[in-house]
Amino acid sequence: MDRAGVMEWVAGYERAWREGDVTAVERLFTEDARYRRSPYEKSEVGHAAIRAFWREDDGQTFTVTVEPVAVEGRDAVVRLEVHYGEPVSREYRDLWVLRFADDGRVEDFEEWAYWPGKPYTAD
């Protein structure tokens, strides 16, 4: 996988997310893909679980900017900034840690989301 391929995948993800196209899960993720909303969360596994998670954002207005941080072999990290609402009611700075399968779909997705006021220590 190269940077252009990663950004093409991310663009497909954003398009599906924006349009509420849960059928895109099959194009973007392997059948047994693992999707963690946080590095410490249990993985959502498989297309049905990922589709159910995606439905939680249905109908949300948002803007997103994305840039690749690192791409090495099958692994990639992208940085996102997401603003929900108009006017903005929630915002996130996020890292996605992606592992791609040979067919270009993601087999492992791990999210590291932060938002204003979120503590940066465990205390």
Side-chain angles (χ1 to χ4, degrees):
M1 184 58 67
D2 61 14
R3 285 179 182 263
V6 170
M7 293 308 289
E8 184 177 321
W9 185 90
V10 170
Y13 183 109
E14 180 186 349
R15 194 169 34 260
W17 180 18
R18 187 173 301 288
E19 296 170 1
D21 180 8
V22 295
T23 64
V25 166
E26 287 82 7
R27 290 189 310 273
L28 296 167
F29 295 93
T30 61
E31 288 182 36
D32 59 349
R34 295 168 310 280
Y35 190 122
R36 283 176 305 290
R37 302 179 200 205
S38 159
Y40 293 104
E41 291 290 319
K42 182 179 173 190
S43 294
E44 305 288 346
V45 179
H47 291 159
I50 295 169
R51 278 193 301 270
F53 166 61
W54 273 21
R55 286 189 176 103
E56 293 176 16
D57 274 349
D58 235 2
Q60 295 281 330
T61 301
F62 66 90
T63 60
V64 63
T65 57
V66 184
E67 64 177 322
V69 174
V71 178
E72 179 71 33
R74 296 179 359 169
D75 298 313
V77 178
V78 296
R79 180 183 298 124
L80 298 89
E81 188 156 325
V82 182
H83 295 112
Y84 281 96
E86 190 61 47
V88 174
S89 58
R90 288 182 295 155
E91 66 181 81
Y92 299 91
R93 289 197 179 150
D94 206 345
L95 293 176
W96 290 354
V97 181
L98 308 169
R99 162 135 316 159
F100 287 87
D102 291 337
D103 65 4
R105 295 184 296 168
V106 164
E107 63 185 17
D108 194 75
F109 183 110
E110 182 175 280
E111 196 167 356
W112 292 65
Y114 289 86
W115 51 88
K118 180 178 181 175
Y120 59 90
T121 64
D123 299 322

